[in-house]
Amino acid sequence: MDPDKIERVYTSYAGFYDRVFGKVFHEGRESAIRNLNVQPNEQILEVGVGTGLALPMYPRHCRIVGIDVSEGMLARAKEKAAAHQLDHVELHRMDAGAMQFHDDSFDTVVAAYVVTAVPDYRKVVNEMIRVCRPGGRIIMLNHFSNGNKVIAAVEKALSPITKHLGWRTDLSLNTVLEGTSLHIARNQRVNPLRLWALVECINGKGQQMNGNGTAQAASGYARGNGTAAYSNGNGHYSPEHAH
């Protein structure tokens, strides 16, 4: 998938995205945010924020940074942020495969309907891992290819068609996670039709694994409320030259 084409496709969607896709994917977004158990002052990055449909769902006691490559989608997100007076939200136009943030800037990274809609999912996943602190959470809400051979064959056949619409259907979760430091903490099916997956991963970079397959916080990272805690010094995300 060509990056410029993806930007053009999603910018063209901006005017009607909420009406067409908003209700269809609402339950998945709501499930993702409802189960986050966001802590006060938690630093959250939403990759591919789109028209900002999820922004009003986050609690106001955290800090949200949203990025998107599409100017059209981002303009809609900015309108929502202003309309709902979301003072805890910042929005930037940015390539998810080359983010302009320092390492370990965020406690949680959320990517809803993103991984299969980018030109290079490996770059995007690696960037999410880089900007998320060790022991932090990376949440992916996405359709991944089905383990059923018949359905998988249909998904593979459809993928060349759906790529022209801005996404692919033939990518599996195992392929996405292979070779990364991410460890699945939760994987549940969500609507529409339970064909989408809500996957919560723990960022295991710089950590050792316990015998039960869970990540143990590396030296210097203290756990709090059941998760590893990390601060990048000032408690805020660190954009290098965000715009």
Side-chain angles (χ1 to χ4, degrees), residues 103-114:
D103 296 357
D104 309 336
S105 292
F106 299 94
D107 301 299
T108 299
V109 177
V110 178
Y113 314 113
V114 168

Side-chain angles (χ1 to χ4, degrees), residues 75-196:
R76 298 284 177 165
K78 290 177 179 178
E79 289 174 3
K80 285 188 181 67
H84 291 273
Q85 298 182 331
L86 304 179
D87 297 333
H88 60 303
V89 171
E90 293 182 24
L91 298 169
H92 304 282
R93 186 176 184 223
M94 197 177 294
D95 180 0
M99 296 187 210
Q100 299 164 353
F101 300 117
H102 292 301
D103 296 357
D104 309 336
S105 292
F106 299 94
D107 301 299
T108 299
V109 177
V110 178
Y113 314 113
V114 168
V115 176
T116 52
V118 293
D120 190 335
Y121 69 87
R122 291 182 183 87
K123 283 185 178 179
V124 173
V125 172
N126 286 336
E127 278 291 270
M128 291 195 294
I129 291 170
R130 181 184 67 80
V131 302
C132 181
R133 64 167 173 79
R137 300 176 295 173
I138 293 179
I139 314 294
M140 289 181 283
L141 175 60
N142 219 95
H143 169 77
F144 294 107
S145 61
N146 195 291
N148 182 289
K149 291 183 178 180
V150 175
I151 297 177
V154 173
E155 290 170 336
K156 187 174 182 179
L158 287 174
S159 195
I161 300 172
T162 59
K163 281 182 180 179
H164 291 292
L165 301 175
W167 66 87
R168 57 187 292 188
T169 59
D170 61 346
L171 190 62
S172 72
L173 178 59
N174 287 340
T175 299
V176 170
L177 298 183
E178 185 178 11
T180 73
S181 60
L182 299 180
H183 312 291
I184 298 175
R186 180 166 56 98
N187 184 358
Q188 70 180 76
R189 292 287 177 178
V190 295
N191 279 340
L193 303 176
R194 303 293 171 184
L195 292 177
W196 273 252

Side-chain angles (χ1 to χ4, degrees), residues 10-11 13-15 17-18 29 46-55 58 65-81 89 91-94 110-114:
Y10 279 92
T11 291
Y13 287 169
Y17 185 90
D18 290 7
R29 285 192 177 90
E46 183 167 334
V47 177
V49 69
T51 62
L53 283 168
L55 293 178
Y58 289 98
V65 178
I67 65 170
D68 205 286
V69 73
S70 166
E71 284 278 19
M73 300 288 261
L74 204 58
R76 298 284 177 165
K78 290 177 179 178
E79 289 174 3
K80 285 188 181 67
V89 171
L91 298 169
H92 304 282
R93 186 176 184 223
M94 197 177 294
V110 178
Y113 314 113
V114 168

